[in-house]
Amino acid sequence: MQTDEITCGSKGPVAEMSIDETQHPASERSVSEAPSDTDVSLYDEGDFESFMDNYSHLDILKTGTMDFFSSALELSSTASCDERANHFIERVSKAVVTELSKEDRGRFPKEFEEALMYIASAFPRRSSEQDVLVKAIALLQGAKETDEAQEWKNLRTLGSSMEDAFLLYPTLNLNHGQPKLFTDFGWVNFNSFCARRYGSYDDDLGIDALRELRSGLEIPIDSDPKGGPIADTRIRVAIVWIAESAPRLLRESCLSTYSGNHECLTGPLTVSKGGFNLERWSFWKRRFGEIRDEVKDIVDDDLRLMTDVAIEHMTRAEKELGSMVKPIVNGVAI
């Protein structure tokens, strides 16, 4: 079995710790040890209580789930990642049995999964809080619960809940009655969570990955893609997808996955075919270098440094998969 060792940093209320997560076989997933780039996309919403206040209008089943997650973060600083994740699950499980009506139990699974997406938007990539969320989901997916009252633990519609959350991207073109959207900070955080799931688990988020990489790398920086996120945010999102899932992205490129899917067309800056392919991968790598020079007067200096981190991840993925494909040098497959 492939394992992904997650190191929980000291950022936030969770103490420094490490856990070992069991993943899918190495033949399916190969997760690289990340270069030292823990500052990639460290967008922070501030404390979690303030974050929850911003979403207090949500259904009580969602806000209740967020409260229970907050209680897990407030455990003693000596509590491990496993202990926090299990505390969160146990608190939710008890509430479902003792506090919810039969009607609420029926709709709770979907509300719970949607709450997880909002929680994902609260914490930066590889933060200790994100580690707890990732661990909790891994524990739930391995539970295989048969008790009807605990059906929510199976996360049967987690994939569709993640897809729905991708519609909450930040935009200035907010329509009346539209659900509360993620902030730019939250959008980067949410994408880092999804990219982490895509890179380490079996989540089918390839189309989402391509869409966000297209938005960040294949569209001119000064463009406004249908009122979507600003350039700074789009580039950061592309970086976290590379940082968390470069090996899988390269593997899918070798397999030309989604090559015939109309949802996976390329942006105007590249002439490669749609879907995953090595030509498109090569363009992304070259484009990060171009962006580093283009954004010097547009975005924060730290973002320019992050483009180097993305290139480092791509190079590392190429070296790791060297036995499977020919190396890519200077953006050209040879």
Side-chain angles (χ1 to χ4, degrees), residues 161-173:
S161 295
M162 295 174 79
E163 290 294 339
D164 291 343
F166 272 105
L167 299 176
L168 301 178
Y169 59 85
T171 176
L172 297 177
N173 301 334

Side-chain angles (χ1 to χ4, degrees), residues 14-29:
V14 184
E16 186 170 347
M17 64 197 85
S18 64
I19 61 175
D20 181 62
E21 292 184 333
T22 302
Q23 307 289 356
H24 293 267
S27 60
E28 297 180 42
R29 298 286 175 266

Side-chain angles (χ1 to χ4, degrees), residues 115-185:
L116 295 181
M117 301 302 101
Y118 282 102
I119 293 172
S121 74
F123 303 112
R125 171 180 177 258
R126 293 286 165 173
S127 62
S128 51
E129 297 91 345
Q130 188 186 81
D131 289 343
V132 174
L133 177 62
V134 170
K135 183 63 178 181
I137 292 176
L139 291 172
L140 288 171
Q141 289 188 312
K144 301 188 184 305
E145 187 63 55
T146 57
D147 184 353
E148 183 177 356
Q150 301 297 332
E151 172 68 18
W152 60 274
K153 292 183 178 180
N154 294 317
L155 302 178
R156 295 189 187 279
T157 59
L158 181 64
S160 64
S161 295
M162 295 174 79
E163 290 294 339
D164 291 343
F166 272 105
L167 299 176
L168 301 178
Y169 59 85
T171 176
L172 297 177
N173 301 334
L174 184 63
N175 297 321
H176 179 69
Q178 189 171 346
K180 183 79 173 184
L181 305 179
F182 294 141
T183 63
D184 286 280
F185 298 149

Side-chain angles (χ1 to χ4, degrees), residues 6 27 35 38 41 85 127 134 149-150 155 177 179 223 229 264 281 302-303:
I6 299 179
S27 60
T38 54
S41 156
S127 62
V134 170
Q150 301 297 332
L155 302 178
S223 68
C264 303
W281 167 274
D302 72 309
L303 184 56

Side-chain angles (χ1 to χ4, degrees), residues 59-66 100 104 107-108 111-112 115:
D59 186 284
I60 191 171
L61 297 182
K62 288 190 181 74
T63 57
T65 297
M66 294 162 72
L100 296 190
D104 283 343
R107 64 189 186 89
F108 182 70
E111 296 290 339
F112 175 74

